Amino acid sequence: MSKVALITGITGQDGYYLTKLLLEKKYVVHGTVRRSSTINTQRIDPLISKYKSNENLTLHYSDLLDPSSLNQLIQKIQPDEIYNLAAQSHVAVSFKNPVFSTQTGTLGPLSILEAVKNADKDIKYYQASSSEMFGGIDSQQLNENSKFIPKSPYAASKVFAHQITTIYRESYGVFGVNGILFNHESPHRGETFVTRKITRAIGRIKFGLQSKLTLGNLDAYRDWGFAGDYVKGMWMMMNHKTPSDWVLATGESHSVREFLEIGFKEVGLNYEDYVVTSEKYFRPNEVNHLLGDPSKAKQYLGWEPETSFQELVKLMVQSDLKLAEREKTLIENNLLDPTWEYST
Ligand code: NAP
Ligand code: GDD
């Protein structure tokens, strides 16, 4: 019989890649979506077209801040696995909307864990933990035992969710998994995260739709991998014999500046001719350096990243070149108003 999975945050980047993976593995997938005034299912629309008609993919309105809807949903669909990917996931925004970010990041996971604890069947729970929890002060390589020094409301809420998952694992025997994922990107990455902001701008600059790119700290270092590789790791963790905490990372760290260099070079341009910085994009408390050590996942899960940093930058640039070309055609046909630089 097919396994049943529930994914919160199915409309996000990881939601897309994980849904695709689980459907390919013949899971029956349920996902939660929030009502919004504009359509927010663009990423998964191609999967909906492909799978919804044979009832392998079903969407439900819910919100992490509505425990009763989550509880009812879990009782109704009786999932084997729950992947809690939903979060207000933008670190800088968490400083602007701290209460919402924290409520979503803490009460959401706790509500699901309560429903899992009280369910009649054993349900596995995946918590989307984050390398942001480490605070990243220097170039030290971080693993499952490294200290958490959260530096934002987002990171603090992730620490709570991480620890409450461990507490439910130890206290009630819940199969609770913490995936401590370092930054992972893709052509489906939200456009206000730095990698996608850069590749969108490169495409638009190349097609004459944008003249400059305004960023914040160019000297921040991140351990950037490809999201498609990381969702495989999530599934492996959930299908390992024992629940645990797992770091997924590439083991390489690169600066925003290096990302810019490679990205602009891919289209024959020099980033220094286009990039300006503004205080607007600096954070009240910066995470300077993140570098992960994925040895445990490699040893026990057999997980390894398959996409290099250079390949990642190039695949994102190539995808955004195509998008900019389509955008240009729409503008030329008066179907879209030109925008010279996004404000985000
Ligand atoms: P994302 O693209 O921002 O997606 C976040 C998802 O959460 C979206 O589906 C969003 O819905 C949903 N959401 C936000 N607030 C919600 C709420 N109150 N109730 C229900 N749903 C809500 O994030 P991602 O990159 O896919 O990341 C997935 C998870 O992994 C997040 O928890 C993130 O914090 C964590 N994480 C990400 C990374 C990374 O590098 N990508 C690394 C470590 C951990 P809408 O579409 O309606 O906004
Ligand atoms: N977003 C953004 N926009 N970041 C910028 C900019 C800019 O204009 N300019 C420089 N940066 C720097 C940020 O200051 C940060 O040091 C780095 O680029 C990466 O920023 P983001 O891409 O926003 O990602 P993040 O590292 O803060 O958070 C992401 O990764 C976490 C895992 O470590 C998110 O996906 C989190 O949800 C995730 O937990």
Side-chain angles (χ1 to χ4, degrees):
M1 219 168 78
S2 297
K3 278 194 192 171
V4 178
L6 171 62
I7 303 176
T8 70
I10 196 168
T11 56
Q13 170 189 256
D14 291 5
Y16 164 76
Y17 284 104
L18 181 64
T19 303
K20 185 165 178 292
L21 178 79
L22 296 183
L23 289 170
E24 284 163 6
K25 289 185 180 295
K26 310 286 180 222
Y27 275 61
V28 170
V29 177
H30 294 264
T32 66
V33 291
R34 300 189 290 173
R35 191 270 158 184
S36 64
S37 67
T38 51
I39 290 171
N40 60 358
T41 54
Q42 280 101 340
R43 289 187 180 98
I44 52 167
D45 280 344
L47 300 175
I48 294 173
S49 308
K50 189 166 173 196
Y51 290 97
K52 209 177 168 195
S53 56
N54 52 16
E55 295 183 352
N56 285 350
L57 177 57
T58 311
L59 301 182
H60 307 265
Y61 280 115
S62 185
D63 192 299
L64 280 201
L65 297 181
D66 186 350
S68 73
S69 73
L70 289 168
N71 206 359
Q72 281 171 29
L73 185 58
I74 292 167
Q75 282 187 27
K76 184 174 154 205
I77 65 174
Q78 295 279 310
D80 299 292
E81 297 171 9
I82 298 178
Y83 293 84
N84 180 34
L85 306 185
Q88 189 304 93
S89 74
H90 201 286
V91 175
V93 173
S94 82
F95 286 100
K96 313 257 182 220
N97 292 185
V99 176
F100 171 75
S101 304
T102 304
Q103 284 174 335
T104 304
T106 58
L107 298 179
L110 182 54
S111 305
I112 302 174
L113 282 163
E114 267 296 291
V116 167
K117 183 189 93 183
N118 296 326
D120 294 332
K121 67 183 281 190
D122 288 338
I123 301 174
K124 294 181 179 181
Y125 175 78
Y126 175 89
Q127 173 57 29
S129 282
S130 164
S131 51
E132 262 315 283
M133 300 188 303
F134 297 123
I137 294 156
D138 54 32
S139 59
Q140 180 202 349
Q141 208 168 7
L142 301 154
N143 66 26
E144 293 78 5
N145 301 315
S146 301
K147 194 174 167 194
F148 297 148
I149 310 172
K151 288 194 169 177
S152 62
Y154 169 81
S157 73
K158 286 289 181 187
V159 171
F160 172 86
H162 182 96
Q163 292 178 334
I164 200 72
T165 301
T166 309
I167 289 167
Y168 272 59
R169 182 163 77 208
E170 292 173 352
S171 310
Y172 307 118
V174 167
F175 193 105
V177 166
N178 283 310
I180 310 173
L181 273 50
F182 282 65
N183 298 50
H184 44 280
E185 320 292 313
S186 74
H188 289 283
R189 184 57 143 155
E191 298 188 13
T192 61
F193 295 97
V194 76
T195 56
R196 188 77 200 289
K197 186 171 166 181
I198 293 170
T199 60
R200 274 294 271 143
I202 291 171
R204 298 185 88 244
I205 287 168
K206 193 69 188 167
F207 280 91
L209 304 175
Q210 186 168 332
S211 54
K212 65 178 173 42
L213 166 61
T214 312
L215 294 171
N217 179 13
L218 306 187
D219 296 311
Y221 280 77
R222 289 293 182 274
D223 182 330
W224 277 298
F226 171 55
D229 295 343
Y230 285 53
V231 299
K232 286 185 197 157
M234 291 179 190
W235 178 82
M236 287 170 160
M237 293 173 205
M238 290 286 265
N239 287 278
H240 187 66
K241 54 185 182 305
T242 42
S244 191
D245 303 337
W246 304 94
V247 160
L248 297 186
T250 68
E252 265 183 45
S253 191
H254 298 273
S255 64
V256 173
R257 207 178 282 283
E258 284 174 76
F259 195 105
L260 284 166
E261 265 163 14
I262 298 176
F264 274 81
K265 209 184 240 176
E266 178 70 4
V267 297
L269 300 176
N270 179 351
Y271 83 92
E272 286 168 322
D273 296 334
Y274 301 94
V275 174
V276 293
T277 57
S278 161
E279 277 306 310
K280 183 178 171 191
Y281 297 112
F282 282 80
R283 294 172 183 185
N285 203 1
E286 176 65 298
V287 170
N288 292 315
H289 206 130
L290 287 175
L291 171 64
D293 171 7
S295 307
K296 180 179 169 187
K298 188 174 177 185
Q299 183 177 354
Y300 295 101
L301 303 177
W303 179 86
E304 273 190 272
E306 292 163 29
T307 314
S308 73
F309 176 67
Q310 286 74 10
E311 286 167 344
L312 174 68
V313 179
K314 286 178 184 180
L315 78 89
M316 290 179 70
V317 169
Q318 289 304 330
S319 170
D320 277 330
L321 281 170
K322 288 189 195 132
L323 189 56
E325 190 176 11
R326 284 205 296 277
E327 210 177 332
K328 188 172 185 186
T329 307
L330 290 175
I331 291 169
E332 283 170 354
N333 290 301
N334 293 322
L335 295 167
L336 191 68
D337 288 330
T339 318
W340 288 102
E341 190 184 19
Y342 292 117
S343 61
T344 50

